[in-house]
């Protein structure tokens, strides 16, 4: 997964502690590490692909209790058009896969309008695009 990503940005990191909760942990394939946002809504993760990437799904593993609600994928397509696709995760720890119409993407912003956490925090152990 990491080899298709050119750049990644996140809305925030818990207590600005990038060594413990930074964006690099979204793609490290370890169940021991995670990205954790600070409090507040909305939170987001923006990924720029190295080259045009045909995307047909996103798979996310949240920490239960810190799951995004009212989520969407804002996809910048290869032809510079943009499309927004809503998705609705469950408040569980397991990998959740969300299928979309196959789309050629330059970048995607995963937006979490709200969270199951009272303070609006999001915790993600794994983020994958296919």
């Amino acid at each position: 997964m990491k080899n298709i990503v050119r750049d990644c940005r996140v809305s925030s990191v818990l207590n600005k502690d990038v060594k413990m909760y930074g964006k690099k942990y979204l793609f490290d394939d370890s169940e021991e590490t995670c990205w954790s946002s600070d409090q507040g809504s909305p939170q987001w993760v923006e990924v720029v692909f190295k080259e045009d990437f045909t995307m047909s799904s996103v798979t996310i593993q949240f920490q239960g209790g810190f799951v995004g609600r009212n989520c969407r994928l804002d996809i910048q397509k290869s032809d510079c058009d943009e499309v927004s696709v809503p998705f609705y995760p469950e408040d569980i720890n397991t990998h959740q896969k969300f299928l979309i119409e196959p789309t050629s993407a330059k970048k995607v912003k995963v937006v979490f309008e709200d969270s199951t956490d009272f303070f609006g925090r999001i915790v993600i152990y794994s983020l994958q695009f296919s």
Side-chain angles (χ1 to χ4, degrees):
M1 172 66 218
K2 196 180 221 181
N3 59 356
I4 66 168
V5 174
R6 184 179 79 203
D7 191 27
C8 178
R9 295 180 21 202
V10 293
S11 51
S12 65
V13 175
L14 184 62
N15 300 324
K16 298 182 181 177
D17 189 348
V18 296
K19 288 184 180 181
M20 287 288 295
Y21 304 112
K23 63 188 178 184
K24 64 185 173 186
Y25 299 121
L26 288 165
F27 308 110
D28 70 350
D29 296 324
S30 172
E31 293 186 10
E32 303 295 318
T33 60
C34 64
W35 166 67
S36 182
S37 76
D38 220 332
Q39 58 186 345
S41 292
Q43 296 292 335
W44 50 265
V45 174
E46 184 178 75
V47 173
V48 178
F49 300 110
K50 287 182 179 177
E51 55 190 46
D52 291 351
F53 176 71
T54 301
M55 192 170 104
S56 58
S57 71
V58 60
T59 303
I60 306 175
Q61 183 183 11
F62 292 97
Q63 178 177 323
F66 297 90
V67 175
R69 289 193 303 200
N70 301 319
C71 306
R72 71 177 189 271
L73 301 171
D74 290 341
I75 302 167
Q76 182 179 340
K77 297 168 67 172
S78 300
D79 60 7
C80 295
D81 284 343
E82 292 189 21
V83 63
S84 187
V85 179
F87 67 99
Y88 305 96
E90 294 180 57
D91 190 357
I92 55 176
N93 295 332
T94 58
H95 287 87
Q96 299 181 65
K97 186 172 189 172
F98 304 96
L99 302 176
I100 65 168
E101 188 71 31
T103 303
S104 183
K106 285 185 174 185
K107 73 178 177 181
V108 62
K109 188 173 193 176
V110 186
V111 181
F112 311 101
E113 290 292 343
D114 197 6
S115 171
T116 57
D117 173 57
F118 179 75
F119 296 103
R121 295 170 293 188
I122 303 289
V123 177
I124 297 177
Y125 286 90
S126 175
L127 178 63
Q128 302 168 354
F129 300 95
S130 58

